[in-house]
């Protein structure tokens, strides 16, 4: 039996190991709230709400998130959307032209794009026919240059959550980073893997305020991981990567738990209703099990149905070009009125 050990020094890029991060004015002097005169950052001194640089460590927001999620603020990194968080992870751990990552299509397209941007080989291991990770093949695909395995659960565009056993086996048998993208976790019946970040030193979790929290427009992505991983990411992040307006708006929203919970509840009820109605449409061949705020369905002719809906003012996503997704359409759950409208139209087609 081979001994599996995790050592972050085997994963961090050499240039990042030696890097001395930029020290901004706001890093050097941290305000304790007392009445100071700030002449350290060449800002315009006239108050307008955003004339000062934002907190580079987003302490107010992280403090609330840490409390809600039961982690330390040192387990959190915030970014300009998950997309920035994912890019930072690539740049911290993957050596261009040398390292590789593994993705499991059909899945979120950004992993591949970011791999290409960062000149990192992307190795693809298809999900099984029931959209589960093919653990044996994944582990066979790993070599000494494999830095990250991307698991999107609940997965986009299929909607299902991966089995816990599959995820656990990958976490245990792979010594690189296992990134679980939990963008849709708030719609899922499964628990987040957040509670396991202290158990698995190689576990990285990303979440976002773009879906359940309804803040796609302000761009806030969240990364949860061990303090040692977060420390590495903090070294390379742009100092003011989360702007003041985003920090304020996100804080207000995460504090409004009741509102978010109510909206998610409504979306879940509407999802069940949509699934029920879709099952009565004769050109709908299959409705895949979903743990997210969207539904993937197989139809008779996806391109034709997509065009028909578009003509009637409804934009959905045709996912037919994705492997294992031939003739599929992805519907995001809308408001009750929107869902009623789409069902009416589908019935008329
Ligand atoms: C929508 C989505 C995201 C969100 O990305 P942001 O940059 O935070 O808006 C991340 N991962 C997956 C799988 C998604 O579908």
């Amino acid at each position: 039996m081979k001994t599996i050990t995790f050592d972050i020094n085997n994963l961090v890029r050499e240039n990042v190991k030696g890097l001395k991060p930029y020290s901004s004015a706001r890093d050097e002097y941290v305000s304790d709230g007392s009445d100071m005169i700030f002449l350290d950052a060449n800002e315009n001194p006239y108050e307008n709400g955003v004339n000062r640089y934002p907190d580079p460590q987003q302490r107010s927001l992280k403090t609330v998130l840490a409390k809600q999620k039961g982690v330390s603020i040192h387990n959190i990194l915030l970014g300009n959307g998950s997309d920035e968080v994912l890019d930072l992870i690539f740049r911290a751990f993957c050596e261009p032209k040398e390292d590789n990552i593994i993705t499991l299509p059909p899945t979120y397209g950004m992993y591949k794009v970011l791999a290409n941007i960062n000149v990192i080989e992307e190795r693809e291991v298809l999900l099984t026919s029931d959209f589960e990770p093919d653990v044996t093949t994944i582990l066979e695909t790993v070599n000494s240059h494999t830095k990250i395995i991307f698991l999107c659960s609940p997965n986009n565009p299929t909607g299902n959550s991966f089995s816990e056993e599959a995820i656990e086996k990958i976490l245990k048998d792979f010594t690189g980073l296992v990134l679980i993208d939990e963008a849709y976790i708030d719609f899922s019946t499964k628990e987040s893997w957040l509670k396991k970040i202290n158990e698995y030193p190689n576990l990285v979790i990303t979440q976002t305020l773009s879906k359940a929290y309804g803040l796609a427009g302000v761009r806030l992505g969240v990364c949860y991981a061990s303090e040692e991983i977060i420390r590495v990411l903090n070294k390379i992040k742009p100092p003011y990567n989360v702007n003041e307006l985003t920090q304020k708006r996100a804080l207000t929203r995460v504090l409004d738990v009741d509102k978010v919970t109510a909206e998610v509840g409504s979306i879940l009820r509407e999802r069940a209703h949509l699934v029920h109605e879709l099952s009565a449409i004769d050109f709908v061949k299959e409705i895949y099990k979903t743990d997210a705020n969207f539904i993937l369905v197989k139809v008779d002719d996806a391109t034709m149905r997509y065009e028909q809906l578009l003509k009637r003012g409804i934009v959905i996503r045709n996912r037919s070009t994705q492997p294992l997704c031939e003739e599929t359409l992805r519907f995001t759950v809308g408001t009750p009125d929107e869902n009623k409208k789409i069902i009416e139209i589908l019935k008329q087609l």
Side-chain angles (χ1 to χ4, degrees):
M1 210 181 95
K2 80 183 156 148
T3 327
I4 310 270
T5 49
F6 174 83
D7 183 351
I8 196 164
N9 289 313
N10 297 335
L11 299 175
V12 180
R13 284 171 66 191
E14 284 305 319
N15 67 316
V16 174
K17 271 185 210 165
L19 188 82
K20 195 170 171 328
Y22 172 71
S23 179
S24 69
R26 286 293 169 273
D27 280 322
E28 245 166 57
Y29 178 81
V30 177
S31 169
D32 61 0
S34 59
D35 212 7
M36 304 295 278
I37 295 176
F38 286 101
L39 303 175
D40 57 346
N42 301 343
E43 297 148 335
N44 177 326
Y46 298 102
E47 283 301 330
N48 62 19
V50 287
N51 58 311
R52 300 293 175 182
Y53 279 102
D55 175 5
Q57 280 302 321
Q58 311 98 16
R59 272 161 297 215
S60 311
L61 185 51
K62 278 187 191 168
T63 303
V64 174
L65 286 173
K67 190 151 177 256
Q68 291 181 346
K69 306 285 182 177
V71 299
S72 148
I73 59 165
H74 305 294
N75 294 125
I76 307 177
L77 176 110
L78 301 180
N80 184 24
S82 323
D83 293 343
E84 183 188 39
V85 170
L86 296 171
D87 187 53
L88 286 172
I89 293 168
F90 269 98
R91 290 195 283 140
F93 296 104
C94 300
E95 198 63 46
K97 300 183 186 175
E98 197 174 300
D99 288 334
N100 66 72
I101 57 126
I102 296 177
T103 67
L104 317 181
T107 194
Y108 186 48
M110 272 311 279
Y111 315 136
K112 183 184 194 145
V113 172
L114 289 168
N116 289 339
I117 291 171
N118 287 290
V119 208
I120 306 303
E121 180 197 350
E122 186 227 14
R123 300 184 165 197
E124 300 188 344
V125 179
L126 279 194
L127 294 175
T128 61
S129 56
D130 54 353
F131 299 145
E132 286 287 345
D134 174 354
V135 179
T136 309
T137 311
I138 292 168
L139 295 173
E140 281 168 7
T141 305
V142 169
N143 73 359
S144 62
H145 286 290
T146 306
K147 291 293 184 73
I148 314 171
I149 298 175
F150 286 86
L151 307 176
C152 186
S153 180
N155 187 37
N156 178 6
T158 58
N160 63 306
S161 297
F162 295 156
S163 87
E164 278 129 67
E165 300 73 53
I167 293 179
E168 195 126 43
K169 174 119 179 90
I170 296 168
L171 277 166
K172 284 186 170 148
D173 289 6
F174 175 56
T175 49
L177 299 177
V178 177
L179 188 142
I180 307 181
D181 184 338
E182 294 189 336
Y184 299 98
I185 194 67
D186 302 288
F187 304 106
S188 173
T189 50
K190 296 248 175 90
E191 252 201 280
S192 165
W193 284 81
L194 209 53
K195 298 203 170 62
K196 307 273 188 177
I197 54 174
N198 294 319
E199 189 176 329
Y200 296 107
N202 57 340
L203 173 59
V204 178
I205 291 166
T206 58
Q207 294 183 0
T208 177
L209 297 200
S210 296
K211 307 285 157 59
Y213 282 81
L215 292 188
V218 307
R219 315 301 302 130
L220 191 90
V222 190
C223 174
Y224 299 99
S226 72
E227 294 191 17
E228 112 184 303
I229 292 173
I230 297 299
R231 218 175 298 127
V232 173
L233 296 175
N234 263 320
K235 267 173 104 167
I236 67 162
K237 85 171 186 66
Y240 303 115
N241 63 327
V242 180
N243 74 70
E244 182 69 19
L245 299 174
T246 296
Q247 291 190 39
K248 285 221 172 83
R249 197 61 195 262
L251 183 62
T252 309
R253 186 66 171 169
V254 296
L255 287 170
D256 201 354
V257 179
D258 292 345
K259 184 105 187 276
V260 176
T261 308
E263 287 178 11
V264 169
S266 158
I267 291 167
L268 293 181
R269 281 190 300 279
E270 283 297 308
R271 184 181 78 188
H273 177 66
L274 263 177
V275 166
H276 179 74
E277 294 285 342
L278 282 166
S279 63
I281 308 282
D282 66 351
F283 61 80
V284 170
K285 303 297 173 200
E286 187 160 4
I287 304 168
Y288 297 95
K289 195 167 146 284
T290 177
D291 235 358
N293 65 334
F294 56 82
I295 305 166
L296 187 76
V297 299
K298 194 184 272 298
V299 296
D300 53 350
D301 184 340
T303 304
M304 178 182 80
R305 300 303 176 186
Y306 174 83
E307 296 290 340
Q308 287 178 327
L309 287 172
L310 204 54
K311 247 186 243 150
R312 290 159 179 83
I314 292 175
V315 190
I316 56 164
R317 206 84 202 269
N318 184 354
R319 296 284 74 191
S320 297
T321 55
Q322 299 269 310
L324 309 176
C325 294
E326 296 77 23
E327 307 300 350
T328 60
L329 300 172
R330 191 190 70 192
F331 296 81
T332 307
V333 179
T335 63
D337 282 348
E338 289 170 338
N339 302 330
K340 216 170 121 198
K341 183 118 191 265
I342 188 162
I343 291 298
E344 261 167 39
I345 291 174
L346 285 170
K347 281 180 176 162
Q348 287 163 13
L349 295 184

